[in-house]
Amino acid sequence: MPSSDQEVLDTYDHLLKVVHTFAGLFMWEYVITLDFEWEVYTGRRPWRWSFIVYLVARGLALSSIIVTLVGFNLTRQFNCEAWIRAVLFTSWFAAASASFLLVLRGVAIWGRDNRIMIATGCAFAANLVGSVYAVTKGSAAWSLPLHSCAISGTSGYKWSITINFVQDFILLTIMFFGVLHKKNATHLWNLLYFQGLFWILSAILTELPSVALSFKNINDPWNLMFQVPHMTFMVITSSRAYRDLFQYITSDQDSYPSRRRRRRAPRMRSGGAGGAAARDVQVTVTKTIEFDVELHGGAVHDASREEDAVAEGEEDEELDKAEAALEEAEEQVRTLELQMKQELQI
């Protein structure tokens, strides 16, 4: 059933609150992570061409947020049609740039396999077509009740949103199966695994509601309700995943510092020099029969010390072998992680 004018106005009010909330979230995220970009600009971290994609995604998302806020907060009439085109272009291609970071991640994880490059390239190309289509759909006109631009024709975005969701599903599946395929005991693999899980969760929570509401088509503001959160979350998630991996790969710190073998303190044995001296003194003050007993006891103690020494030597040898095996395993893990770092440099 079509929404009444009052329902539309109320929904626009909710939409404005959502837009302002996620605009604040993105701007806060943008500001607190500028130090990473500065490190690259100043040469403290190496330059990678994929860094350009990272900058484009964040720059377009920031532009989309600013243009959207300006349009919704101006109280004087302006060119709403030019405004909506600017919003659509910056937001859709910010999301596309975030998806391209996902393409690069999947291709790198699979070792630049040609089949993976073709599959991810086709999915990304389809998303680009859908993004261009979305920019041409919808319109906006000045609304006196809203004192702002009212967007209409948003039901035309549903196919582009669906294509974007299918593309992200394909790319995330390829990436995550690649991570599972390379499962190992390195810290780097754990980083890739948990980043993949969070990426999938962000896509599901922000894209599925957009698809569902677009096909439901309650009204125009409801159709737009989850599109700003979707763009914001996907850009934040993609840029954070890129930034964390970049910092981990380019870090000079060894994730597996060399183990130092523990030096075991020599064990104190009873019946040492002090005991011998005691027996010497005992010899001088006891009777002959006591002398014989003491000599017999000293022989027993000597045999016991020899057995203890042999047992201790065997135990030390076993500990040395265990530590050597552990060091060898750690060296293998370190070598594997270095190899993964080389493969993931994009």
Side-chain angles (χ1 to χ4, degrees), residues 52-280:
I52 299 175
V53 183
Y54 169 85
L55 291 177
V56 169
R58 281 164 53 92
L60 286 175
L62 181 63
S63 301
S64 174
I65 292 294
I66 293 174
V67 172
T68 302
L69 290 178
V70 169
F72 278 134
N73 288 280
L74 283 179
T75 56
R76 293 185 179 182
Q77 187 172 350
F78 60 95
N79 189 336
C80 293
E81 194 62 27
W83 170 75
I84 191 61
R85 298 296 161 228
V87 170
L88 291 173
F89 177 83
T90 51
S91 60
W92 277 94
F93 282 94
S97 301
S99 296
F100 194 62
L101 289 175
L102 183 54
V103 170
L104 296 177
R105 173 73 64 95
V107 169
I109 288 175
W110 282 99
R112 295 165 177 78
D113 187 291
N114 290 332
R115 295 167 297 179
I116 300 299
M117 295 175 68
I118 292 173
T120 55
C122 291
F124 182 72
N127 184 54
L128 280 181
V129 173
S131 299
V132 173
Y133 177 79
V135 173
T136 64
K137 306 304 288 185
S139 60
W142 186 259
S143 171
L144 290 177
L146 286 174
H147 298 290
S148 180
C149 292
I151 305 172
S152 59
T154 56
S155 60
Y157 303 148
K158 62 183 178 182
W159 297 115
S160 297
I161 295 173
T162 303
I163 291 173
N164 181 255
F165 174 72
V166 173
Q167 176 232 220
D168 283 346
F169 176 79
I170 293 173
L171 296 181
L172 286 168
T173 300
I174 290 174
M175 179 204 64
F176 198 66
F177 271 98
V179 173
L180 295 178
H181 179 70
K182 290 182 175 291
K183 184 176 182 180
N184 53 58
T186 62
H187 298 324
L188 180 55
W189 185 87
N190 287 326
L191 174 66
L192 295 174
Y193 178 77
F194 286 107
Q195 282 186 348
L197 287 180
F198 188 74
W199 219 326
I200 292 172
L201 185 63
S202 297
I204 292 174
L205 292 179
T206 60
E207 292 187 47
L208 271 182
S210 293
V211 174
L213 288 172
S214 295
F215 278 91
K216 183 70 174 176
N217 194 27
I218 301 172
N219 54 45
D220 289 310
W222 266 117
N223 292 344
L224 300 171
M225 191 68 68
F226 279 89
Q227 293 191 26
V228 171
H230 161 59
M231 185 272 294
T232 303
F233 260 99
M234 291 308 291
V235 172
I236 289 178
T237 302
S238 300
S239 58
R240 273 190 173 270
Y242 176 84
R243 188 168 53 250
D244 292 345
L245 181 62
F246 192 102
Q247 290 174 331
Y248 189 91
I249 289 177
T250 58
S251 175
D252 294 330
Q253 183 178 0
D254 189 359
S255 303
Y256 306 92
S258 300
R259 293 174 55 88
R260 294 182 178 179
R261 293 194 179 185
R262 296 167 296 178
R263 293 183 179 274
R264 289 178 289 277
R267 300 183 180 181
M268 299 299 295
R269 299 185 182 91
S270 60
R279 288 196 301 274
D280 292 341

Side-chain angles (χ1 to χ4, degrees), residues 299-337:
V300 172
H301 283 302
D302 291 340
S304 177
R305 286 198 303 271
E306 290 179 2
E307 292 177 358
D308 290 343
V310 172
E312 182 182 353
E314 292 176 351
E315 181 181 349
D316 290 345
E317 185 177 354
E318 291 177 359
L319 288 174
D320 289 340
K321 289 181 180 180
E323 289 185 356
L326 182 59
E327 289 179 357
E328 183 180 358
E330 289 180 347
E331 185 62 31
Q332 291 176 354
V333 171
R334 183 186 292 108
T335 302
L336 179 59
E337 179 156 300

Side-chain angles (χ1 to χ4, degrees), residues 275-291:
R279 288 196 301 274
D280 292 341
V281 173
Q282 185 71 14
V283 169
T284 61
V285 297
T286 56
K287 297 179 180 180
T288 305
I289 186 171
E290 292 175 337
F291 175 79

